[in-house]
Amino acid sequence: MKTTTRVAIIGGGVVGASVLYHLTKLGWSDVMLLERSELTSGSTWHAAGGFHTLNGDTNMAALQGYTIRLYKELEEITGMSCGLHHVGGVTLADNQDRFDMLLAERAKHRFMGLETEIVSPEEIKKIAPVTNIDGIVGGLYDPLDGHLDPSGTTHAYAKAARMGGATIHTHTMVVETNQRPDGTWDVVTDKGTIHAEHVVNAGGLWAREVGAMAGIYFPLHPMEHQYLVTEDVPMIVDMMTDGQEHPHVMDPAGESYLRQEGRGLCIGFYEQTCRPWAIDGTPWSFGQDLLQDDFDKIEDSINFAYKRFPDLEKAGVKNVIHGPFTFAPDGNPLVGPIPGVRNYWSACGVMAGFSQGGGVGLMLAQWMVEGECERDVMAMDVARFGDWISPGYTLPKVIENYQKRFSVSYPNEELPAARPNRTTPMYDVFSRMGAVWGQQFGLEVVNYFATGDEPTFETPSFRRSDAFDATAREVAGVRSAVGINEVHNFGKYLIKGAGARAWLDRIMAGRIPQLGRLSLTPMLSEKGKLIGDFTVSCLSEEEFQLTASYGAQAFHMRWFLQHQDDSVSIENITDKRNGFQIAGPRARDVLAACTLSDISDMKFMDVRKITIGMTDCIVQRVSYTGDLGYEMYCDPMGQRALWNTLWAEGQKHDMVPFGMRAMMSLRLDKFFGSWMAEFSPDYTAAETGMDRFISFKKNTAFIGRAAAEAERDAGAARQLVSFEVDATDADVQGYEPIWLDGDVVGFCTSGGYSHHAGKSIAFGFLPTDRVAEGLAVEIEILGHMRAARVVTTPLFDADGARMRG
């Protein structure tokens, strides 16, 4: 066995094999896979082997499409069979909400190039005759759906990797992973020690245990999962006689998936009475084993399935497959470099390995070889969870995710498990005021305030929700007087040191402000993609405060630390500085009355240290509402005192509290983009208009400069624009296709209802050469074509007089 390697991959399931193959495909041949038993031991060998493209996250759906198309390539490369059955599949909807979800997904597929289609109950009966269509509203048909041979596919990945120079060692158990001072790793096995530049944890059921060897907690948990294979089913036998194979059927109402298996049927369940497995850790002795049959927990699911698929009840059970699969709290994989740990990579939590394994392998290989992925992978980035996460949080969230595996995923849904978890000093105050809570990155965030008889729970919906009236009320309060909102859901960072300005000039593409000023700047990847949207505040020549998206903390800190030098210190102070923003025409009056400092000369984009009441604050004159506004940051220990001061004075000026629903409506008035909607690693600065904040004049080789300059000179092929939409009861959420002259020419990034203007607004991309004021297009919302037109003049304070005055 070799004693050195560039990459050591721990785990020989389908994901580890995929990563190994894709590394060789991108040119790294000195790579090694270590498996304690045989390839496919763990979850891979007992998987049902189904694959599909349907996923609520568009990039994940695209990667699933890549994975499915990859299998034929693997067969051609290796000469091995993956046991492919491209039979197609239909997802059923038995109510309007489920049908709305399918309509929204079909719309996304239009610009993704996925050939899915909405089908009627009658068409479903023809496509999938085993289905009882009583009560069915419609369905979504995907011709790419199918199933394969899990073992054959994994071995095809392995052979393709070996052909590219990789080595695979089975029956080689990793017992330690120890990092050297230079960031490389000693991977200790029962057959010797391997010195590796990089380690990839693809441990599957044992990912937690493998991570613990390096002192890393992976928020994962295995769940018991059961599926049945029947004896012969006459309808299936007749179809086979005619040379046909029955397609897959996903029945969200019955929490089941069904496909043909030989001359019978295979059906699996995501039952509500689910059970976590191996709570205290996965035994190393577990391998190609199964759990004891447990019909009791799926009894209700089986009874429902008998009604949906009557032929099942007539068929005997041939086999029962009951085994564990590993889930992350939100059901998506954990992929990428571990924040704060050099050269340690995750490829874990890939529950749907045969739908996602190829895409996961490709993205991780690109990340390792090229430094970044070709598309935004935040939905599966391991950095989407912070260091606050714990086993006590992970377990209830994993159970919740399993139970909702086939449930409708609403754009405004707030899931209740493991909440509240992280709260600020204002939680009880706002709760008494009627706060309806959401969460971001584990933190409780006010969505809106209910009053009177309004419910304190927002009903999930694809359409305008019961938050509509409350949001309108809060928007009106801000625009007519003054509103107050907590600033806890901003990520905040302190950059200090003699080289702070020079370091920021290199990390940020925009201008770094002078003392007492702030600036807005994009942060770019080497390829010119947007990886941050920051406010930079100069507190002194050696001290700067940065603010950005709260949910991107681990993502941004990982980037900062990867590029840190000895001239600066970098600290995440997100939870060490809290406070409020006040916004509206009376905001200045409130602030002036609460401080002895003279703020009359405080200009737009100024930053100062001011004592407000008894609380020392950093005050910035800026507001995401697009109105006259101030952001105030303080020690959380003084936040309640700051609240008491501002709220008492605010009552004299008709102050109202407002939440994130109002914030996201207010930003529409000024056409302000939002992180992970208009601004994400899928897009460049020029495409989104963020290039206006790039300082091409500064004499600094900032990261991404060459790519940004090349795009500036060539021009962007597409452009982010704003639309007024003739919507009725549903607004744009994101990824709806934009139609022009009968063709899909673009897609939406986000949207909503401007309560100030009384208009439905959307943001989206169009080809640059088609952009023009008033251009008439159609936007497909929940299956309906809605007329829309390009608008360039903001709906509020178009000349900026109030915001800047």
Side-chain angles (χ1 to χ4, degrees):
M1 184 170 70
K2 290 172 55 179
T3 58
T4 63
T5 186
R6 191 170 197 175
V7 181
I9 299 170
I10 304 172
V14 65
V15 176
S18 172
V19 173
L20 190 73
Y21 162 66
H22 281 95
L23 285 171
T24 64
K25 186 176 183 179
L26 296 186
W28 283 14
S29 58
D30 182 17
V31 293
M32 179 185 297
L33 186 146
L34 305 170
E35 165 55 45
R36 68 185 180 86
S37 182
E38 297 284 353
L39 294 182
T40 76
S41 296
S43 296
T44 297
W45 82 270
H46 63 71
F51 52 78
H52 57 90
T53 59
L54 187 64
N55 190 295
D57 182 273
T58 305
N59 280 310
M60 289 299 298
L63 290 174
Q64 289 175 198
Y66 165 81
T67 299
I68 295 167
R69 295 185 181 101
L70 176 65
Y71 293 132
K72 289 189 181 298
E73 178 183 322
L74 281 178
E75 290 183 329
E76 292 169 0
I77 291 171
T78 64
M80 297 178 66
S81 172
C82 293
L84 290 176
H85 294 258
H86 273 293
V87 296
V90 61
T91 301
L92 308 177
D94 67 337
N95 60 40
Q96 189 59 48
D97 278 355
R98 288 195 172 100
F99 194 57
D100 281 349
M101 184 181 76
L102 298 183
L103 290 170
E105 291 305 306
R106 171 63 188 110
K108 295 177 186 178
H109 294 165
R110 290 192 194 278
F111 71 87
M112 294 170 61
L114 297 175
E115 299 300 326
T116 58
E117 61 179 297
I118 295 295
V119 289
S120 68
E122 293 72 27
E123 290 171 311
I124 292 170
K125 190 64 178 177
K126 292 178 182 177
I127 294 168
V130 75
T131 308
N132 173 10
I133 60 171
D134 289 350
I136 296 298
V137 178
L140 179 72
Y141 177 72
D142 187 346
L144 279 181
D145 280 11
H147 56 278
L148 46 64
D149 169 22
S151 178
T153 300
T154 304
H155 282 278
Y157 274 123
K159 182 176 180 179
R162 286 191 181 101
M163 292 169 67
T167 56
I168 296 175
H169 297 281
T170 57
H171 299 284
T172 304
M173 183 168 177
V174 174
V175 294
E176 295 180 27
T177 55
N178 303 311
Q179 191 166 37
R180 295 185 179 186
D182 65 356
T184 61
W185 292 84
D186 287 327
V187 180
V188 182
T189 78
D190 58 357
K191 293 183 179 177
T193 298
I194 301 156
H195 180 215
E197 181 180 350
H198 300 273
V199 169
V200 177
N201 183 345
L205 289 173
W206 297 269
R208 296 173 297 172
E209 287 69 32
V210 171
M213 295 177 188
I216 302 167
Y217 172 64
F218 282 81
L220 298 165
H221 202 92
M223 296 292 294
E224 298 180 3
H225 182 68
Q226 197 164 206
Y227 65 91
L228 317 175
V229 178
T230 74
E231 301 283 0
D232 290 3
V233 173
M235 181 186 293
I236 299 300
V237 173
D238 291 344
M239 290 182 67
M240 293 179 68
T241 302
D242 294 334
Q244 303 177 54
E245 188 170 358
H246 198 282
H248 288 213
V249 184
M250 279 63 70
D251 182 21
E255 301 159 341
S256 70
Y257 58 88
L258 174 141
R259 66 170 175 83
Q260 181 177 331
E261 174 67 21
R263 296 161 61 92
L265 292 168
C266 168
I267 185 167
F269 306 99
Y270 285 90
E271 67 283 356
Q272 294 300 299
T273 54
C274 59
R275 295 199 180 109
W277 182 76
I279 292 177
D280 296 325
T282 303
W284 289 109
S285 59
F286 190 84
Q288 292 189 337
D289 303 296
L290 290 174
L291 307 178
Q292 186 175 350
D293 298 350
D294 188 350
F295 288 101
D296 290 343
K297 70 172 182 172
I298 59 172
E299 182 179 3
D300 291 343
S301 299
I302 291 174
N303 289 333
F304 191 99
Y306 285 162
K307 297 174 184 177
R308 180 71 73 217
F309 310 110
D311 288 74
L312 276 176
E313 193 169 12
K314 305 170 189 175
V317 175
K318 182 178 180 181
N319 292 313
V320 180
I321 310 298
H322 190 201
F325 288 85
T326 303
F327 294 76
D330 60 2
N332 278 343
L334 299 177
V335 180
I338 300 299
V341 184
R342 290 177 61 190
N343 297 345
Y344 196 104
W345 304 77
S346 175
C348 306
V350 191
M351 182 280 288
F354 294 98
S355 291
Q356 300 173 342
V360 165
L362 175 66
M363 291 300 102
L364 190 62
Q366 288 181 348
W367 219 330
M368 298 178 74
V369 175
E370 301 172 3
E372 61 185 278
C373 306
E374 69 184 50
R375 62 175 63 246
D376 170 25
V377 292
M378 184 61 77
M380 64 179 183
D381 190 338
V382 66
R384 71 186 184 275
F385 297 111
D387 56 11
W388 50 267
I389 201 165
S390 68
Y393 175 91
T394 298
L395 181 57
K397 294 304 288 187
V398 164
I399 292 172
E400 178 184 63
N401 178 266
Y402 184 98
Q403 291 171 327
K404 295 185 72 63
R405 177 72 181 164
F406 277 171
S407 298
V408 178
S409 180
Y410 298 94
N412 68 325
E413 187 171 25
E414 297 287 351
L415 300 177
R419 292 179 58 196
N421 180 26
R422 307 181 73 232
T423 62
T424 76
M426 295 303 299
Y427 183 79
D428 60 328
V429 175
F430 287 157
S431 292
R432 287 193 297 268
M433 297 175 72
V436 179
W437 293 96
Q439 72 83 32
Q440 184 183 15
F441 204 60
L443 177 71
E444 294 297 312
V445 178
V446 178
N447 280 339
Y448 63 95
F449 291 87
T451 62
D453 295 331
E454 291 176 340
T456 56
F457 173 80
E458 182 180 6
T459 305
S461 177
F462 284 91
R463 301 168 192 274
R464 292 174 187 163
S465 76
D466 42 19
F468 191 81
D469 292 341
T471 302
R473 183 172 60 244
E474 293 172 18
V475 166
V478 173
R479 289 288 186 243
S480 64
V482 60
I484 187 167
N485 175 270
E486 202 171 7
V487 293
H488 58 326
N489 60 331
F490 288 160
K492 312 170 195 83
Y493 313 90
L494 193 63
I495 312 298
K496 299 176 70 174
R501 180 177 292 276
W503 184 82
L504 285 169
D505 252 331
R506 180 169 62 88
I507 295 297
M508 301 294 173
R511 179 182 55 82
I512 306 305
Q514 296 302 309
L515 179 63
R517 295 287 289 168
L518 58 89
S519 65
L520 306 179
T521 173
M523 186 167 70
L524 306 179
S525 72
E526 292 285 0
K527 296 182 180 179
K529 296 295 185 71
L530 290 170
I531 56 172
D533 169 25
F534 281 84
T535 298
V536 179
S537 305
C538 182
L539 306 180
S540 78
E541 275 305 311
E542 296 189 3
E543 183 178 359
F544 295 80
Q545 177 178 281
L546 314 183
T547 55
S549 169
Y550 187 87
Q553 285 176 65
F555 173 80
H556 284 146
M557 276 299 293
R558 181 176 63 196
W559 182 260
F560 292 156
L561 295 175
Q562 285 173 350
H563 295 87
Q564 186 176 13
D565 60 41
D566 294 337
S567 70
V568 296
S569 67
I570 304 167
E571 182 184 2
N572 182 351
I573 59 169
T574 297
D575 298 322
K576 295 181 180 180
R577 285 187 184 168
N578 207 339
F580 305 94
Q581 70 161 317
I582 56 174
R586 300 180 188 172
R588 183 185 287 112
D589 298 333
V590 172
L591 181 57
C594 293
T595 179
L596 298 177
S597 301
D598 181 9
I599 64 164
S600 62
D601 63 341
M602 191 172 184
K603 301 186 296 296
F604 181 63
M605 305 288 272
D606 273 357
V607 56
R608 293 181 185 176
K609 294 182 178 180
I610 297 174
T611 300
I612 302 172
M614 299 183 293
T615 310
D616 292 333
C617 298
I618 295 170
V619 180
Q620 302 185 161
R621 192 180 154 190
V622 67
S623 175
Y624 191 52
T625 66
D627 215 314
L628 169 66
Y630 303 85
E631 294 174 353
M632 293 157 276
Y633 299 91
C634 67
D635 184 328
M637 293 294 287
Q639 189 181 6
R640 290 284 284 267
L642 178 60
W643 164 261
N644 291 336
T645 298
L646 293 170
W647 186 247
E649 179 61 31
Q651 297 313 290
K652 305 172 188 176
H653 302 274
D654 298 325
M655 177 180 280
V656 299
F658 67 102
M660 287 306 297
R661 294 283 187 265
M663 178 78 83
M664 297 308 283
S665 177
L666 290 160
R667 62 115 184 179
L668 298 175
D669 301 339
K670 296 285 283 187
F671 304 153
F672 287 167
S674 176
W675 180 247
M676 293 311 296
E678 285 66 52
F679 312 131
S680 87
D682 272 336
Y683 314 131
T684 67
E687 291 173 336
T688 57
M690 287 293 285
D691 55 340
R692 69 186 184 278
F693 297 114
I694 293 180
S695 178
F696 289 109
K697 294 181 179 179
K698 67 180 183 180
N699 188 26
T700 307
F702 59 81
I703 296 172
R705 179 165 193 149
E709 287 180 336
E711 189 175 39
R712 176 197 61 186
D713 296 341
R718 60 184 179 182
Q719 182 180 332
L720 183 69
V721 294
S722 307
F723 303 89
E724 287 184 8
V725 187
D726 293 341
T728 53
D729 64 337
D731 303 297
V732 160
Q733 299 292 338
Y735 296 108
E736 291 85 351
I738 302 171
W739 295 76
L740 180 62
D741 299 331
D743 295 317
V744 175
V745 297
F747 63 94
C748 295
T749 53
S750 74
Y753 190 78
S754 165
H755 288 276
H756 171 73
K759 296 177 179 179
S760 183
I761 301 297
F763 303 126
F765 284 106
L766 286 178
T768 301
D769 60 1
R770 301 304 301 271
V771 174
E773 173 71 31
L775 176 71
V777 300
E778 289 182 306
I779 297 177
E780 184 178 351
I781 303 176
L782 300 182
H784 297 282
M785 294 296 192
R786 303 300 185 189
R789 65 215 132 268
V790 173
V791 290
T792 57
T793 302
L795 310 177
F796 167 78
D797 193 31
D799 60 0
R802 191 148 106 183
M803 182 175 69
R804 299 172 183 274

